[in-house]
Amino acid sequence: MTDVSLSIAPATSRADLRAFVELLWRVYADDPHWVPPLRGDALALVSGPARNPYFAHAEVQCFLARRGGEVVGRIAAHVDRLVLERRPGLGLWGLFEVAGDDADVGAALIATAEEWLRAKGMTRAQGPMSLSIWDEPGLLVDGFDSAPAVMMGHHRPSYAQMVTAAGYAGVKDLHAWELDIAKPFPELVQRIIAAGERNPKIRVREADPRRIDAEAKLVLGILNEAWSENWGFVPLTDAEIAFAARKLRPVMFPDLIRIAEVEGEPVAFMFTLPDVNELTRDLDGRLFPFGWAKLLWRLRKPKVRRMRVPLMGVRKRLQGTRMASLLAFMMIEYTRRASVANYGATRGEIGWILEDNEPMRAIARAIDAEITRTYRIYEKDL
């Protein structure tokens, strides 16, 4: 029987977009592991090209589900021109949330997103992609018993059933690997690092704080090249690189950005973040009236339990070589030392890592990391 009290409509006004964001607080009210996002950041994500450069190459439509006037679900459908250049006909959806684990609402939202994508000429749908591969891709399917690290998603366990019930099949798993960084790495890894330190051609340096914007652009430039053959890759545009550099600047610390040079050429990098979720959790997503002052104070000399490595890459010509592995171990070790000594961290997270990225999986295993969270990306023909 059709639920006549349920309506789904595009989120077109500023008030609609605020309701789109605020729904999160109802959905996760009973989840002790959910970390509220900063409301301003969550709103900016869906507010168009003036606040998110993703919209320069993508068309996005957000939808709200209401029952009796109350918002009970949300979803966004989007068509990304950069995705279409690599996979013609592939439309995306994401930012999927359902209050009360209501399967009927979930089914209606997914169907609405698919209808919008078909109207745009799409022949296949992929999700959840919230919004792009560079934001929070995939649906959490394992690891619900702990809080996510900064810039990692957290979802209701019921969502996977809603997605598969709509006819979707998983096409790729992404893993977060966690490890104890308070103790030294295994002896074999230490020997590899020592060998690299004896090589006069190699230099692993911190980012230069006097040139932090230039260093960020260097790192993200290497990233575009290093990840260009990865599954689901979409290049960051110049505008997105500049935007990311500005957005991340408050949490960019020179001793957590490592750049590896071989004979003076920057060839690899590792970018690490303190788990800012630990510093913002009690703010309930609000920076005003006093949250901003608390956060600024905490970010001066942040002390956290966990660090996260969201980005790491090596130029194509070195990929798959012993040099690439050596540089990776050196950057990881130097960051481990700084994380423990300067930030009081005891845990580290590397991720996400694609399920079939064997070089990175081998590095994670070598430093005694274990998979703690799994995110799945689904697809179906429209």
Side-chain angles (χ1 to χ4, degrees), residues 181-196:
I181 60 171
K183 64 180 183 180
F185 291 137
E187 183 179 347
L188 175 60
V189 175
Q190 295 294 341
R191 290 202 299 267
I192 293 172
I193 294 166

Side-chain angles (χ1 to χ4, degrees), residues 188-298:
L188 175 60
V189 175
Q190 295 294 341
R191 290 202 299 267
I192 293 172
I193 294 166
E197 291 174 334
R198 292 193 297 269
N199 188 332
K201 296 180 180 180
I202 294 173
R203 178 192 179 207
V204 177
R205 64 175 179 85
E206 298 180 5
D208 184 344
R210 299 165 299 180
R211 303 177 55 253
I212 199 68
D213 288 340
E215 297 281 56
K217 290 179 181 179
L218 169 64
V219 161
L220 293 170
I222 295 176
L223 177 69
N224 262 348
E225 178 188 332
W227 286 33
S228 62
E229 302 300 324
N230 281 3
W231 182 91
F233 172 79
V234 176
L236 286 165
T237 65
D238 290 344
E240 286 172 317
I241 289 174
F243 176 78
R246 290 194 303 272
K247 182 178 178 180
L248 293 173
R249 183 163 188 155
V251 292
M252 291 170 62
F253 299 92
D255 57 345
L256 298 178
I257 305 172
R258 300 286 168 161
I259 299 169
E261 300 175 349
V262 176
E263 296 184 321
E265 177 193 359
V267 296
F269 78 94
M270 190 171 90
F271 178 48
T272 304
L273 291 171
D275 188 4
V276 179
N277 282 358
E278 298 176 28
L279 308 179
T280 64
R281 188 167 190 164
D282 65 328
L283 303 181
D284 195 35
R286 300 184 187 279
L287 287 181
F288 296 97
F290 305 115
W292 67 272
K294 292 180 181 178
L295 185 55
L296 285 176
W297 177 259
R298 293 168 184 176

Side-chain angles (χ1 to χ4, degrees), residues 152-166:
M152 294 290 275
H154 188 73
H155 307 111
R156 303 288 295 183
S158 62
Y159 290 176
Q161 176 60 34
M162 296 181 195
V163 174
T164 56

